[in-house]
């Protein structure tokens, strides 16, 4: 019996944070600055395994069993072959921090499904590290460690495979706001950079047709260069730009990039229909008055 499951689609793959890494870099003024990277892992949910088994084996042609042996929690997935015999493949689940027994059962099931070939290509994933923005992290009061904010998420936007070797050859990751955050390999990074530049040119033309003298759109955050994008240090603002306050970090002027408060953002959106700072808002208003 030989079952060849199809390679996972981008929507079948989920991302979790393996760890947060503290990094240091030197800015243009020679000052040492601190920033964080997220080390990410690709994984599949148990529901994906059940779907693939139902879809490509048949709901009545596979079954699962669980048993405990000492401290190990084992799951076996059995598939009926052409002769009506059940062939079983097993694996052990790891401990889970939430709902320990349920977590181990689910992990054992996913590992057993990988033994059958579902999602095995995820093991060929490149090393995924990306630079985090200031507001994307916080200090956990209990552990005192840096953690990812609950409202921050990442997802696989694009994935390409070497069909013969069944390994990943290209990968693109975006955040929950749709911004490019990671691209692999270098050729894919260059392609993403061209997409961003093309989008900026279109945006600039549209903006110019609506309002003369409007500044170009803020570029995407992914630093696509010859070196690995995730290793580039964060952009350092000029000294004459005051750092945003804690409550300002989630709002940023789309024209000059300075952090602004929620109140300023709300007023700007009401007056000029854009999230801009006080200075940029005045420029826009003056430009309208001239008309």
């Amino acid at each position: 019996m030989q079952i060849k499951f199809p390679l996972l689609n981008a929507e079948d793959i989920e991302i979790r944070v393996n760890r947060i890494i503290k990094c240091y870099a030197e800015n243009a003024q020679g000052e040492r600055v601190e920033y964080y990277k997220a080390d990410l892992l690709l994984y599949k949910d148990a529901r994906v395994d059940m779907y693939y088994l139902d879809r490509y084996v048949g709901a009545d042609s596979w079954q699962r069993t669980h048993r405990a042996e000492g401290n190990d929690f084992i799951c076996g997935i059995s598939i009926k072959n052409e002769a009506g015999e059940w062939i079983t493949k097993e694996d052990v689940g790891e401990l889970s921090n939430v709902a320990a027994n349920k977590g181990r059962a689910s992990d054992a099931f996913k590992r057993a499904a990988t033994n059958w070939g579902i999602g095995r290509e995820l093991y060929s994933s490149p090393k995924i590290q990306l630079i985090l923005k200031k507001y994307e992290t916080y200090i956990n009061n209990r552990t005192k460690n840096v953690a990812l904010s609950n409202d921050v998420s990442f997802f696989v936007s694009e994935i390409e495979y070497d069909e013969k070797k069944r390994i990943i050859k290209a990968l693109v990751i975006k955040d929950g706001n749709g911004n490019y955050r990671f691209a692999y390999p270098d050729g894919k990074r260059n392609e993403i950079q061209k997409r961003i530049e093309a989008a900026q040119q279109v945006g600039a033309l549209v903006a110019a047709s609506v309002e003369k003298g409007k500044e170009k759109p803020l570029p995407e955050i992914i630093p696509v260069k010859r070196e690995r994008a995730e290793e580039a240090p964060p952009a350092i603002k000029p000294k004459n730009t005051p750092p945003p306050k804690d409550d300002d970090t989630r709002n940023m002027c789309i024209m000059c990039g300075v952090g602004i408060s929620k109140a300023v953002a709300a007023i700007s959106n009401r007056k000029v229909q854009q999230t801009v700072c006080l200075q940029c808002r005045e420029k826009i208003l003056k430009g309208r008055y001239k008309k």
Side-chain angles (χ1 to χ4, degrees):
M1 178 177 63
Q2 184 177 3
I3 300 176
K4 192 172 184 179
F5 290 97
L7 298 164
L8 298 182
N9 298 316
E11 58 268 23
D12 297 326
I13 303 171
E14 298 191 36
I15 296 177
R16 68 178 176 86
V17 177
N18 182 41
R19 58 177 178 148
I20 303 293
I21 308 169
K22 181 184 289 188
C23 305
Y24 297 94
E26 189 174 283
N27 62 18
Q29 291 76 36
E31 301 169 334
R32 194 184 190 211
V33 293
E34 177 184 293
Y35 65 101
Y36 293 95
K37 289 182 183 178
D39 185 32
L40 306 179
L41 297 177
L42 305 181
Y43 74 100
K44 57 186 172 69
D45 189 273
R47 287 179 289 249
V48 170
D49 293 314
M50 289 186 278
Y51 169 79
Y52 274 67
L53 287 166
D54 286 344
R55 175 69 175 80
Y56 298 101
V57 175
D60 58 348
S61 297
W62 72 275
Q63 60 186 14
R64 62 191 286 187
T65 57
H66 292 273
R67 72 178 189 278
E69 290 187 3
N71 294 326
D72 293 333
F73 208 77
I74 301 171
C75 175
I77 296 179
S78 301
I79 295 178
K80 190 184 296 184
N81 65 13
E82 295 82 355
E85 302 171 328
W86 290 96
I87 309 299
T88 303
K89 294 187 179 183
E90 299 179 330
D91 214 322
V92 181
E94 293 184 347
L95 286 172
S96 172
N97 294 327
V98 181
N101 288 335
K102 183 179 179 182
R104 281 199 298 173
S106 177
D107 187 62
F109 173 69
K110 289 186 289 185
R111 288 170 177 266
T114 301
N115 286 339
W116 278 106
I118 302 176
R120 192 180 297 171
E121 59 273 12
L122 297 184
Y123 286 117
S124 67
S125 170
K127 183 179 181 180
I128 306 173
Q129 288 186 351
L130 53 86
I131 295 170
L132 294 172
K133 293 182 177 182
K134 183 179 178 181
Y135 68 80
E136 292 179 327
T137 61
Y138 72 100
I139 302 297
N140 187 302
N141 292 329
R142 183 175 60 84
T143 64
K144 305 303 179 185
N145 295 325
V146 176
L148 191 72
S149 299
N150 293 330
D151 58 349
V152 177
S153 62
F154 304 103
F155 66 94
V156 175
S157 172
E158 303 171 35
I159 190 166
E160 298 174 21
Y161 298 101
D162 181 320
E163 299 284 346
K164 186 176 182 180
K165 297 181 179 179
R166 294 180 70 85
I167 60 175
I168 298 171
K169 69 176 184 180
L171 180 68
V172 177
I173 292 176
K174 288 185 175 183
D175 60 28
N177 296 319
N179 298 314
Y180 290 106
R181 300 299 293 269
F182 177 88
Y184 166 87
D186 289 339
K188 180 59 71 172
R189 291 194 186 94
N190 295 335
E191 178 186 331
I192 296 298
Q193 181 63 35
K194 290 179 181 178
R195 292 186 202 172
I196 295 171
E197 291 173 353
Q200 289 175 351
Q201 291 174 1
V202 172
L205 290 173
V206 173
S209 67
V210 175
E211 182 179 348
K212 293 182 180 180
K214 187 173 181 179
E215 296 183 25
K216 294 182 179 180
L218 189 69
E220 294 278 7
I221 63 170
I222 184 171
V224 184
K225 298 180 180 179
R226 285 188 175 275
E227 63 268 20
R228 294 183 65 84
E230 65 277 12
E231 295 176 355
I236 305 300
K237 292 184 179 180
K239 282 189 173 181
N240 59 354
T241 301
K245 299 179 181 178
D246 291 339
D247 61 341
D248 291 342
T249 55
R250 294 181 185 273
N251 297 282
M252 182 178 293
C253 175
I254 65 170
M255 295 181 66
C256 68
V258 68
I260 59 177
S261 67
K262 292 180 180 179
V264 172
I267 295 172
S268 295
N269 283 323
R270 188 172 68 252
K271 289 190 173 183
V272 298
Q273 293 78 50
Q274 299 180 73
T275 304
V276 294
C277 64
L278 291 170
Q279 290 79 6
C280 293
R281 188 205 307 164
E282 290 302 317
K283 291 180 182 178
I284 294 174
L285 290 173
K286 289 180 180 179
R288 288 181 175 175
Y289 291 149
K290 288 180 180 179
K291 292 181 180 180

